[in-house]
PDB file of all heavy atoms in Angstrom:
ATOM      1  N   LYS J  43     -86.737  70.116 -54.814  1.00 98.00           N
ATOM      2  CA  LYS J  43     -87.075  68.724 -55.100  1.00 98.00           C
ATOM      3  C   LYS J  43     -86.328  68.308 -56.360  1.00 98.00           C
ATOM      4  O   LYS J  43     -86.330  69.033 -57.356  1.00 98.00           O
ATOM      5  CB  LYS J  43     -88.578  68.557 -55.312  1.00 98.00           C
ATOM      6  CG  LYS J  43     -89.034  67.107 -55.468  1.00 98.00           C
ATOM      7  CD  LYS J  43     -90.544  67.013 -55.630  1.00 98.00           C
ATOM      8  CE  LYS J  43     -91.242  67.422 -54.356  1.00 98.00           C
ATOM      9  NZ  LYS J  43     -92.726  67.237 -54.472  1.00 98.00           N
ATOM     10  N   VAL J  44     -85.690  67.137 -56.315  1.00 98.00           N
ATOM     11  CA  VAL J  44     -84.826  66.704 -57.409  1.00 98.00           C
ATOM     12  C   VAL J  44     -85.326  65.385 -57.985  1.00 98.00           C
ATOM     13  O   VAL J  44     -85.717  64.476 -57.251  1.00 98.00           O
ATOM     14  CB  VAL J  44     -83.367  66.522 -56.943  1.00 98.00           C
ATOM     15  CG1 VAL J  44     -82.453  66.241 -58.134  1.00 98.00           C
ATOM     16  CG2 VAL J  44     -82.882  67.744 -56.194  1.00 98.00           C
ATOM     17  N   TYR J  45     -85.316  65.297 -59.295  1.00 98.00           N
ATOM     18  CA  TYR J  45     -85.667  64.081 -60.018  1.00 98.00           C
ATOM     19  C   TYR J  45     -84.473  63.692 -60.880  1.00 98.00           C
ATOM     20  O   TYR J  45     -83.835  64.559 -61.486  1.00 98.00           O
ATOM     21  CB  TYR J  45     -86.885  64.318 -60.920  1.00 98.00           C
ATOM     22  CG  TYR J  45     -88.081  64.900 -60.206  1.00 98.00           C
ATOM     23  CD1 TYR J  45     -88.179  66.291 -60.013  1.00 98.00           C
ATOM     24  CD2 TYR J  45     -89.087  64.081 -59.713  1.00 98.00           C
ATOM     25  CE1 TYR J  45     -89.273  66.831 -59.345  1.00 98.00           C
ATOM     26  CE2 TYR J  45     -90.180  64.617 -59.047  1.00 98.00           C
ATOM     27  CZ  TYR J  45     -90.269  65.991 -58.872  1.00 98.00           C
ATOM     28  OH  TYR J  45     -91.348  66.531 -58.208  1.00 98.00           O
ATOM     29  N   GLY J  46     -84.167  62.405 -60.960  1.00 98.00           N
ATOM     30  CA  GLY J  46     -82.998  62.005 -61.726  1.00 98.00           C
ATOM     31  C   GLY J  46     -83.171  60.681 -62.428  1.00 98.00           C
ATOM     32  O   GLY J  46     -84.091  59.907 -62.148  1.00 98.00           O
ATOM     33  N   VAL J  47     -82.261  60.418 -63.338  1.00 98.00           N
ATOM     34  CA  VAL J  47     -82.260  59.183 -64.110  1.00 98.00           C
ATOM     35  C   VAL J  47     -80.818  58.813 -64.434  1.00 98.00           C
ATOM     36  O   VAL J  47     -79.938  59.679 -64.500  1.00 98.00           O
ATOM     37  CB  VAL J  47     -83.098  59.354 -65.403  1.00 98.00           C
ATOM     38  CG1 VAL J  47     -82.401  60.268 -66.403  1.00 98.00           C
ATOM     39  CG2 VAL J  47     -83.430  58.018 -66.036  1.00 98.00           C
ATOM     40  N   GLY J  48     -80.564  57.525 -64.613  1.00 98.00           N
ATOM     41  CA  GLY J  48     -79.229  57.069 -64.989  1.00 98.00           C
ATOM     42  C   GLY J  48     -78.222  57.276 -63.871  1.00 98.00           C
ATOM     43  O   GLY J  48     -78.514  57.045 -62.691  1.00 98.00           O
ATOM     44  N   ASP J  49     -77.040  57.754 -64.223  1.00 98.00           N
ATOM     45  CA  ASP J  49     -75.942  57.933 -63.269  1.00 98.00           C
ATOM     46  C   ASP J  49     -75.993  59.301 -62.610  1.00 98.00           C
ATOM     47  O   ASP J  49     -74.951  59.966 -62.458  1.00 98.00           O
ATOM     48  CB  ASP J  49     -74.601  57.744 -63.996  1.00 98.00           C
ATOM     49  CG  ASP J  49     -74.450  56.374 -64.620  1.00 98.00           C
ATOM     50  OD1 ASP J  49     -74.686  55.372 -63.918  1.00 98.00           O
ATOM     51  OD2 ASP J  49     -74.103  56.303 -65.812  1.00 98.00           O
ATOM     52  N   TRP J  50     -77.176  59.721 -62.186  1.00 98.00           N
ATOM     53  CA  TRP J  50     -77.342  61.079 -61.688  1.00 98.00           C
ATOM     54  C   TRP J  50     -76.746  61.289 -60.296  1.00 98.00           C
ATOM     55  O   TRP J  50     -76.581  62.423 -59.858  1.00 98.00           O
ATOM     56  CB  TRP J  50     -78.806  61.492 -61.712  1.00 98.00           C
ATOM     57  CG  TRP J  50     -79.713  60.729 -60.791  1.00 98.00           C
ATOM     58  CD1 TRP J  50     -79.975  59.397 -60.814  1.00 98.00           C
ATOM     59  CD2 TRP J  50     -80.510  61.272 -59.726  1.00 98.00           C
ATOM     60  NE1 TRP J  50     -80.887  59.061 -59.836  1.00 98.00           N
ATOM     61  CE2 TRP J  50     -81.240  60.198 -59.167  1.00 98.00           C
ATOM     62  CE3 TRP J  50     -80.704  62.549 -59.210  1.00 98.00           C
ATOM     63  CZ2 TRP J  50     -82.121  60.360 -58.089  1.00 98.00           C
ATOM     64  CZ3 TRP J  50     -81.597  62.725 -58.160  1.00 98.00           C
ATOM     65  CH2 TRP J  50     -82.286  61.637 -57.617  1.00 98.00           C
ATOM     66  N   ARG J  51     -76.385  60.211 -59.612  1.00 98.00           N
ATOM     67  CA  ARG J  51     -75.748  60.320 -58.299  1.00 98.00           C
ATOM     68  C   ARG J  51     -74.247  60.009 -58.368  1.00 98.00           C
ATOM     69  O   ARG J  51     -73.601  59.929 -57.338  1.00 98.00           O
ATOM     70  CB  ARG J  51     -76.419  59.366 -57.315  1.00 98.00           C
ATOM     71  CG  ARG J  51     -77.861  59.725 -56.973  1.00 98.00           C
ATOM     72  CD  ARG J  51     -77.953  60.973 -56.124  1.00 98.00           C
ATOM     73  NE  ARG J  51     -79.294  61.209 -55.611  1.00 98.00           N
ATOM     74  CZ  ARG J  51     -79.637  62.284 -54.896  1.00 98.00           C
ATOM     75  NH1 ARG J  51     -78.729  63.213 -54.627  1.00 98.00           N
ATOM     76  NH2 ARG J  51     -80.871  62.442 -54.461  1.00 98.00           N
ATOM     77  N   GLN J  52     -73.710  59.841 -59.554  1.00 98.00           N
ATOM     78  CA  GLN J  52     -72.295  59.533 -59.729  1.00 98.00           C
ATOM     79  C   GLN J  52     -71.484  60.820 -59.819  1.00 98.00           C
ATOM     80  O   GLN J  52     -71.681  61.621 -60.737  1.00 98.00           O
ATOM     81  CB  GLN J  52     -72.088  58.708 -61.000  1.00 98.00           C
ATOM     82  CG  GLN J  52     -70.643  58.443 -61.355  1.00 98.00           C
ATOM     83  CD  GLN J  52     -69.924  57.590 -60.337  1.00 98.00           C
ATOM     84  OE1 GLN J  52     -70.482  56.614 -59.836  1.00 98.00           O
ATOM     85  NE2 GLN J  52     -68.692  57.957 -60.020  1.00 98.00           N
ATOM     86  N   PRO J  53     -70.562  61.064 -58.874  1.00 98.00           N
ATOM     87  CA  PRO J  53     -69.740  62.279 -58.960  1.00 98.00           C
ATOM     88  C   PRO J  53     -68.856  62.264 -60.206  1.00 98.00           C
ATOM     89  O   PRO J  53     -68.384  61.216 -60.649  1.00 98.00           O
ATOM     90  CB  PRO J  53     -68.893  62.226 -57.687  1.00 98.00           C
ATOM     91  CG  PRO J  53     -69.629  61.311 -56.767  1.00 98.00           C
ATOM     92  CD  PRO J  53     -70.283  60.293 -57.653  1.00 98.00           C
ATOM     93  N   PHE J  54     -68.635  63.453 -60.759  1.00 98.00           N
ATOM     94  CA  PHE J  54     -67.760  63.614 -61.912  1.00 98.00           C
ATOM     95  C   PHE J  54     -67.031  64.946 -61.791  1.00 98.00           C
ATOM     96  O   PHE J  54     -67.382  65.791 -60.964  1.00 98.00           O
ATOM     97  CB  PHE J  54     -68.540  63.523 -63.231  1.00 98.00           C
ATOM     98  CG  PHE J  54     -69.599  64.572 -63.395  1.00 98.00           C
ATOM     99  CD1 PHE J  54     -69.316  65.800 -63.988  1.00 98.00           C
ATOM    100  CD2 PHE J  54     -70.904  64.336 -62.969  1.00 98.00           C
ATOM    101  CE1 PHE J  54     -70.301  66.772 -64.138  1.00 98.00           C
ATOM    102  CE2 PHE J  54     -71.892  65.299 -63.119  1.00 98.00           C
ATOM    103  CZ  PHE J  54     -71.594  66.517 -63.706  1.00 98.00           C
ATOM    104  N   SER J  55     -66.038  65.139 -62.621  1.00 97.00           N
ATOM    105  CA  SER J  55     -65.232  66.365 -62.572  1.00 97.00           C
ATOM    106  C   SER J  55     -65.999  67.508 -63.216  1.00 97.00           C
ATOM    107  O   SER J  55     -66.316  67.476 -64.399  1.00 97.00           O
ATOM    108  CB  SER J  55     -63.904  66.142 -63.297  1.00 97.00           C
ATOM    109  OG  SER J  55     -63.052  67.246 -63.129  1.00 97.00           O
ATOM    110  N   THR J  56     -66.278  68.542 -62.443  1.00 98.00           N
ATOM    111  CA  THR J  56     -67.115  69.646 -62.931  1.00 98.00           C
ATOM    112  C   THR J  56     -66.394  70.516 -63.943  1.00 98.00           C
ATOM    113  O   THR J  56     -67.012  71.103 -64.833  1.00 98.00           O
ATOM    114  CB  THR J  56     -67.576  70.525 -61.768  1.00 98.00           C
ATOM    115  OG1 THR J  56     -66.427  70.964 -61.039  1.00 98.00           O
ATOM    116  CG2 THR J  56     -68.507  69.762 -60.839  1.00 98.00           C
ATOM    117  N   GLN J  57     -65.072  70.652 -63.797  1.00 97.00           N
ATOM    118  CA  GLN J  57     -64.276  71.450 -64.724  1.00 97.00           C
ATOM    119  C   GLN J  57     -64.843  72.872 -64.905  1.00 97.00           C
ATOM    120  O   GLN J  57     -65.081  73.558 -63.943  1.00 97.00           O
ATOM    121  CB  GLN J  57     -64.129  70.698 -66.052  1.00 97.00           C
ATOM    122  CG  GLN J  57     -63.306  69.411 -65.930  1.00 97.00           C
ATOM    123  CD  GLN J  57     -61.846  69.670 -65.620  1.00 97.00           C
ATOM    124  OE1 GLN J  57     -61.188  70.486 -66.260  1.00 97.00           O
ATOM    125  NE2 GLN J  57     -61.335  69.001 -64.601  1.00 97.00           N
ATOM    126  N   SER J  58     -65.133  73.271 -66.135  1.00 96.00           N
ATOM    127  CA  SER J  58     -65.503  74.674 -66.399  1.00 96.00           C
ATOM    128  C   SER J  58     -66.897  75.053 -65.905  1.00 96.00           C
ATOM    129  O   SER J  58     -67.233  76.238 -65.913  1.00 96.00           O
ATOM    130  CB  SER J  58     -65.414  74.961 -67.906  1.00 96.00           C
ATOM    131  OG  SER J  58     -64.078  75.033 -68.315  1.00 96.00           O
ATOM    132  N   ILE J  59     -67.704  74.091 -65.474  1.00 98.00           N
ATOM    133  CA  ILE J  59     -69.009  74.458 -64.908  1.00 98.00           C
ATOM    134  C   ILE J  59     -68.814  75.355 -63.697  1.00 98.00           C
ATOM    135  O   ILE J  59     -69.627  76.254 -63.442  1.00 98.00           O
ATOM    136  CB  ILE J  59     -69.814  73.200 -64.555  1.00 98.00           C
ATOM    137  CG1 ILE J  59     -70.169  72.419 -65.824  1.00 98.00           C
ATOM    138  CG2 ILE J  59     -71.089  73.562 -63.802  1.00 98.00           C
ATOM    139  CD1 ILE J  59     -70.862  71.085 -65.552  1.00 98.00           C
ATOM    140  N   THR J  60     -67.720  75.144 -62.959  1.00 98.00           N
ATOM    141  CA  THR J  60     -67.502  75.948 -61.756  1.00 98.00           C
ATOM    142  C   THR J  60     -67.284  77.422 -62.068  1.00 98.00           C
ATOM    143  O   THR J  60     -67.392  78.268 -61.171  1.00 98.00           O
ATOM    144  CB  THR J  60     -66.288  75.429 -60.962  1.00 98.00           C
ATOM    145  OG1 THR J  60     -65.127  75.448 -61.803  1.00 98.00           O
ATOM    146  CG2 THR J  60     -66.532  74.014 -60.458  1.00 98.00           C
ATOM    147  N   LYS J  61     -66.993  77.748 -63.323  1.00 98.00           N
ATOM    148  CA  LYS J  61     -66.793  79.147 -63.690  1.00 98.00           C
ATOM    149  C   LYS J  61     -68.052  79.978 -63.442  1.00 98.00           C
ATOM    150  O   LYS J  61     -67.964  81.175 -63.163  1.00 98.00           O
ATOM    151  CB  LYS J  61     -66.370  79.253 -65.151  1.00 98.00           C
ATOM    152  CG  LYS J  61     -65.002  78.634 -65.434  1.00 98.00           C
ATOM    153  CD  LYS J  61     -64.693  78.584 -66.918  1.00 98.00           C
ATOM    154  CE  LYS J  61     -63.342  77.918 -67.190  1.00 98.00           C
ATOM    155  NZ  LYS J  61     -63.057  77.779 -68.624  1.00 98.00           N
ATOM    156  N   VAL J  62     -69.216  79.357 -63.561  1.00 98.00           N
ATOM    157  CA  VAL J  62     -70.476  80.061 -63.288  1.00 98.00           C
ATOM    158  C   VAL J  62     -70.530  80.514 -61.837  1.00 98.00           C
ATOM    159  O   VAL J  62     -70.888  81.662 -61.531  1.00 98.00           O
ATOM    160  CB  VAL J  62     -71.679  79.149 -63.604  1.00 98.00           C
ATOM    161  CG1 VAL J  62     -72.987  79.793 -63.132  1.00 98.00           C
ATOM    162  CG2 VAL J  62     -71.744  78.843 -65.079  1.00 98.00           C
ATOM    163  N   PHE J  63     -70.167  79.622 -60.932  1.00 98.00           N
ATOM    164  CA  PHE J  63     -70.273  79.915 -59.506  1.00 98.00           C
ATOM    165  C   PHE J  63     -69.188  80.889 -59.062  1.00 98.00           C
ATOM    166  O   PHE J  63     -69.443  81.753 -58.213  1.00 98.00           O
ATOM    167  CB  PHE J  63     -70.212  78.605 -58.718  1.00 98.00           C
ATOM    168  CG  PHE J  63     -71.220  77.597 -59.180  1.00 98.00           C
ATOM    169  CD1 PHE J  63     -70.852  76.520 -59.965  1.00 98.00           C
ATOM    170  CD2 PHE J  63     -72.561  77.744 -58.853  1.00 98.00           C
ATOM    171  CE1 PHE J  63     -71.784  75.602 -60.404  1.00 98.00           C
ATOM    172  CE2 PHE J  63     -73.508  76.829 -59.288  1.00 98.00           C
ATOM    173  CZ  PHE J  63     -73.120  75.755 -60.074  1.00 98.00           C
ATOM    174  N   ALA J  64     -67.992  80.767 -59.623  1.00 98.00           N
ATOM    175  CA  ALA J  64     -66.943  81.739 -59.317  1.00 98.00           C
ATOM    176  C   ALA J  64     -67.353  83.134 -59.773  1.00 98.00           C
ATOM    177  O   ALA J  64     -67.142  84.128 -59.062  1.00 98.00           O
ATOM    178  CB  ALA J  64     -65.628  81.312 -59.978  1.00 98.00           C
TER     179      ALA J  64
END
Side-chain angles (χ1 to χ4, degrees):
K43 186 178 293 184
V44 187
Y45 307 84
V47 71
D49 300 310
W50 65 298
R51 293 290 189 184
Q52 174 65 42
F54 61 90
S55 187
T56 55
Q57 294 292 311
S58 287
I59 294 175
T60 58
K61 294 172 182 176
V62 172
F63 306 103

